[in-house]
Amino acid sequence: PVHGPQARTQEVRPAVSNADLFVRDIRELATPSGDKALRGPEMAEVRAVSDAAVLIRDGRIAWAGPVAEAPAVPPGVPVLSAGGGTVVPGFVDSHTHFVFAGDRSEEFLWRAGGLPYMEIHRRGGGIRRSMDATRAASLDELVAIGRKRLSVMLSLGVTTVEGKSGYGMDLAAELRQLEAMDILGREQPVRIVPTFLGPHSTPPEYAGRTSEVMDTVIRDMLPAVKARGLARFCDVFCEKGVFELADSRRYLEAAKAAGFGLKVHADEIERIGGAALAAELGAASADHLLKCVPSDYEALARSSTVATCLPLTAFVLREPYADARGMIDSGCAVALASDLNPGSCYSQSIPLIFALAVLYMRLSVDEALCALTLNGAAALGLAGEVGSLEPGKRGDLVILDAPSRAFLAYHSGMNLVKATVIGGRLEYERP
């Protein structure tokens, strides 16, 4: 079972049985520690052990530390050599939209060439293109699309991923996206945390009637998602001209009353108070945060809400990065995630996230590692379960073909993953 306050709506079931494993020949083991998000200077407190080993029993970490102090390996436990590489916790990508159909590559090139947003919209670009393709896709097609993207994530060391609906924008298509994630969560090893993002944009049939969209979402969609047990979180695109504070608040309050955990797309394009709203309502995370100011950092630091920054989106849109350095210095718990989606960020590159975080967002490697592991887990209510290599936690780890964690940023943009282990099972090994 999943532990923590967001565990009420759906139990996450492992796709495969747990296993035993002993990982040896680890030149460096690097992990944050704890069962909750780390804040401010705590994010830099990564435990680093040279000449290490990890013992996993029945899918859980039994021991992790210096090989000279390791317990005897029980008979019959498989042994895996790290080959002198580095071992870190499995990466947690806590904000993605990975189940969608179609693509917007033409729109990407228009934007790269400097075409204004309204002209892109006039030419048929924008979220409606993704909505049309996703509505037209069958459940089997969405499962196949998601399966392929999850396979790539596994090769990048992602062991837990959040997936949002939001490209259907009607009840049938939203449920189909969530059903695809439910199927995928049962058939493959990457843990999927499903999020209902019904209020993502205004569908064309409701043009100019944003509050009516929210009425429909609250009245019809939320109960249907709840009844089917298809989501653990509810999210809203809280933005000027989309769903502003009043509508976002009533949706989030309805979702909270129904037992869902909360997440908020906040203050990405304009600062309208989304981050402060997330903090006030005790959301698990407030995400994007490009337009936040120091008073928002202070509100987040006083709350239990994780500040989730999405540097790949800023990179693709050529926008200034969220001030993760200022957030950490203000005492926030910061996570990093990909925001994989068809419009503003068609990328799930964990290596590029590390490079951008260290080179342009002024995080240390240890802060970035914490943000992509333990704090990402906290943004999903799973910090007591995954995100660090400590006894009792699930045996999710990544073996890097590198002598130290510094190479996550130093070998810029390169995938260093040699092997990915989930629940004690070797689920990916680089050829």
Side-chain angles (χ1 to χ4, degrees):
V2 176
H3 305 291
Q6 271 72 48
R8 295 170 293 186
T9 61
Q10 181 184 359
E11 181 181 1
V12 177
R13 292 165 290 277
V16 295
S17 59
N18 294 322
D20 297 338
L21 187 68
F22 183 69
V23 185
R24 67 182 187 190
D25 305 322
I26 301 171
R27 180 167 177 175
E28 179 180 89
L29 182 148
T31 179
S33 302
D35 59 1
K36 61 183 179 181
L38 299 183
R39 299 180 169 274
E42 296 174 339
M43 288 184 62
E45 296 174 3
V46 166
R47 178 189 181 212
V49 179
S50 299
D51 300 322
V54 177
L55 176 63
I56 300 170
R57 298 302 310 273
D58 193 25
R60 299 276 167 179
I61 295 173
W63 188 86
V67 69
E69 301 172 16
V73 181
V77 171
V79 176
L80 176 64
S81 174
T86 295
V87 166
V88 297
F91 300 128
V92 179
D93 192 346
S94 61
H95 182 129
T96 85
H97 307 250
F98 78 90
V99 176
F100 61 86
D103 72 83
R104 285 152 64 182
S105 55
E106 188 176 37
E107 175 184 333
F108 170 83
L109 296 176
W110 290 340
R111 187 170 58 241
L115 202 67
Y117 172 78
M118 290 310 296
E119 177 61 19
I120 291 173
H121 184 75
R122 188 187 68 78
R123 293 188 183 186
I127 196 170
R128 181 171 180 176
R129 178 170 289 184
S130 296
M131 181 200 73
D132 289 341
T134 302
R135 284 184 177 182
S138 69
L139 177 60
D140 286 346
E141 288 169 333
L142 291 176
V143 169
I145 289 166
R147 185 184 296 123
K148 184 176 180 180
R149 292 179 183 138
L150 287 165
S151 178
V152 174
M153 291 178 193
L154 190 63
S155 73
L156 292 167
V158 173
T159 55
T160 299
V161 65
E162 186 251 21
K164 303 180 191 292
S165 68
Y167 285 109
M169 291 185 278
D170 66 15
L171 180 57
E174 289 291 307
L175 291 177
R176 201 154 56 245
Q177 283 186 275
L178 293 169
E179 287 166 358
M181 286 183 252
D182 188 62
I183 292 168
L184 288 164
R186 298 169 192 274
E187 73 168 34
Q188 57 77 55
V190 177
R191 173 176 287 184
I192 300 169
V193 179
T195 294
F196 171 58
L197 179 58
H200 192 190
S201 184
T202 302
E205 58 265 33
Y206 283 90
R209 296 179 288 147
T210 302
S211 287
E212 288 185 39
V213 175
M214 193 60 83
D215 292 339
T216 300
V217 169
I218 294 172
R219 183 186 65 242
D220 300 333
M221 294 189 185
L222 265 181
V225 173
K226 175 69 176 178
R228 290 163 176 80
L230 289 173
R232 296 183 58 231
F233 290 93
C234 286
D235 197 349
V236 59
F237 192 68
C238 180
E239 189 61 61
K240 187 172 180 62
V242 189
F243 298 102
E244 298 194 20
L245 281 178
D247 280 331
S248 295
R249 176 183 289 277
R250 64 191 183 98
Y251 167 74
L252 292 167
E253 289 178 344
K256 188 174 185 178
F260 292 100
L262 307 182
K263 300 175 84 64
V264 183
H265 281 62
D267 301 320
E268 178 187 8
I269 301 169
E270 291 191 35
R271 179 178 178 262
I272 67 168
L277 178 64
E280 176 193 340
L281 296 180
S285 69
D287 302 24
H288 282 292
L289 311 177
L290 297 183
K291 298 301 189 289
C292 283
V293 298
S295 60
D296 299 316
Y297 311 162
E298 293 164 7
L300 290 168
R302 291 192 300 268
S303 76
S304 61
T305 301
V306 176
T308 300
C309 299
L310 310 170
L312 296 180
T313 308
F315 173 75
V316 170
L317 295 179
R318 294 186 290 205
E319 290 283 341
Y321 297 100
D323 183 17
R325 176 77 271 145
M327 295 176 197
I328 293 172
D329 291 345
S330 296
C332 292
V334 170
L336 294 167
S338 72
D339 193 25
L340 168 64
N341 74 77
S344 60
C345 181
Y346 189 49
S347 176
Q348 61 222 74
S349 176
I350 298 298
L352 185 54
I353 293 174
F354 270 106
L356 295 176
V358 172
L359 294 174
Y360 294 98
M361 300 175 77
R362 298 182 295 140
L363 272 63
S364 69
V365 169
D366 287 346
E367 288 169 335
L369 180 61
C370 175
L372 272 160
T373 54
L374 185 59
N375 281 10
L380 300 177
L382 293 174
E385 178 82 358
V386 297
S388 62
L389 301 177
E390 299 176 272
K393 289 201 174 182
R394 197 170 74 155
D396 295 357
L397 59 83
V398 176
I399 299 174
L400 304 175
D401 186 14
S404 79
R405 64 198 184 281
F407 281 68
L408 286 165
Y410 169 55
H411 203 174
S412 301
M414 301 301 293
N415 183 15
L416 304 178
V417 173
K418 183 177 180 180
T420 303
V421 172
I422 299 179
R425 290 188 178 274
L426 178 62
E427 298 290 357
Y428 167 81
E429 188 168 22
R430 187 169 66 193

